[in-house]
Amino acid sequence: MSNIKERATRPYQVITEEEKIEHMIKTYMLGKKYLLKGYFEEISVNVEEFLPKTGMIVSCFSELSENVAFYRVFKKYMDATCYVEENLGNDRYKVRVEAFRIATNERRYPRIEANPDAVSINSIRAARNVIKASLFNVPTSVKVHFSEYERRLKNYADEVHVKVFESHDEKFELVRKTGKVFWIKNTQDINSYIPEDENAFVDYRSVLHVDIADVMNDYRKKKIVSELIVPVIYVGHDGGSVPLGYIQLISKNKEIGLETIMELKALTFEMVDRIRDSNTMMINKRQAVTNVSLGGLQIRISDPELKQFLVHQKGFSFDIVFRMQQPITVSSEIVYTGVDRNHDMIIGVKIMGWSSRKGEMERYFQLVNELAKGKI
């Protein structure tokens, strides 16, 4: 048997009142089959008899320890946390239910069993070094890339800075926290402080803690005509984004236009691609998929190198290969891990993103539906 370690938690309604537990046992458990929670193998637990208050008699071929949980998926996931009071022999146990948990949301997608001949994964990519949104945990390789781009952009303005977020200056904090562009086209025009698109640009005027006239005066004293700060947002193999740093242009002789913003945003994508590529380890070893859904997969990792590598990852990207089909590239977040009876690592992943190739998500959905119909 193999224990599951969950990394993601789902919201639950918790029931601990004795009267409600008694009602739940009689209504949803008595005479029904449940599964032993925490194991990849399906270990059946049959609820045979109700005992006064919160007790019941169950049968299970696997030996039950003192603290166990049984679960079942109706429309929603439900489990019962129990205490084993007595081993009655012949695979029968007297248990007391201490609490019920009912998921507040229905399971979004059904799981479909798969075999390695039908579905597998390959081209597994994950980070050598985990990049976090910490000002004190930026790898040296990232700073090297930033310095290179700072040299490339030196002729774009009077001052060019490509840096990781280290300053707690209000402007930089706004860019880091919002992921939006800071742009003052003309520092002496009040309209430049009011963005036309608040979804893409920082509304500096609405968050200024000083009078806007003082800001304009400060720019005038420094002889700054225009200022631009574009965030560099790193997207990892788990699909998560981290605000790493910024490109800052300060112009003292001309306005910075929208075309420059579009060019710099394209350069930030290029930077992120290069940083991710230099920080990526790729392993081409095909691994089996045991079940799939429209939202994720359960994967069996048998390769020793991958077992050691993936257990420390928050997520990774890989190619999903359906039989006789072109690969589909996805990024994922690991939601649970474990080891089965064959000492293979079992990973449950949630799909977080798709490659830029057109129609990847639609093709995946189509292939999962065909697998459910037995056509793959």
Side-chain angles (χ1 to χ4, degrees), residues 113-130:
E113 295 298 318
N115 64 67
D117 295 331
V119 192
S120 60
I121 70 166
N122 203 354
S123 301
I124 296 163
R125 300 170 288 274
R128 296 177 188 274
N129 301 300
V130 178

Side-chain angles (χ1 to χ4, degrees), residues 149 230 260-273:
Y149 277 86
V230 179
T260 301
I261 298 175
M262 302 308 294
E263 189 173 347
L264 292 192
K265 284 186 72 69
L267 277 175
T268 64
F269 297 145
E270 178 185 306
M271 289 173 66
V272 168
D273 285 343

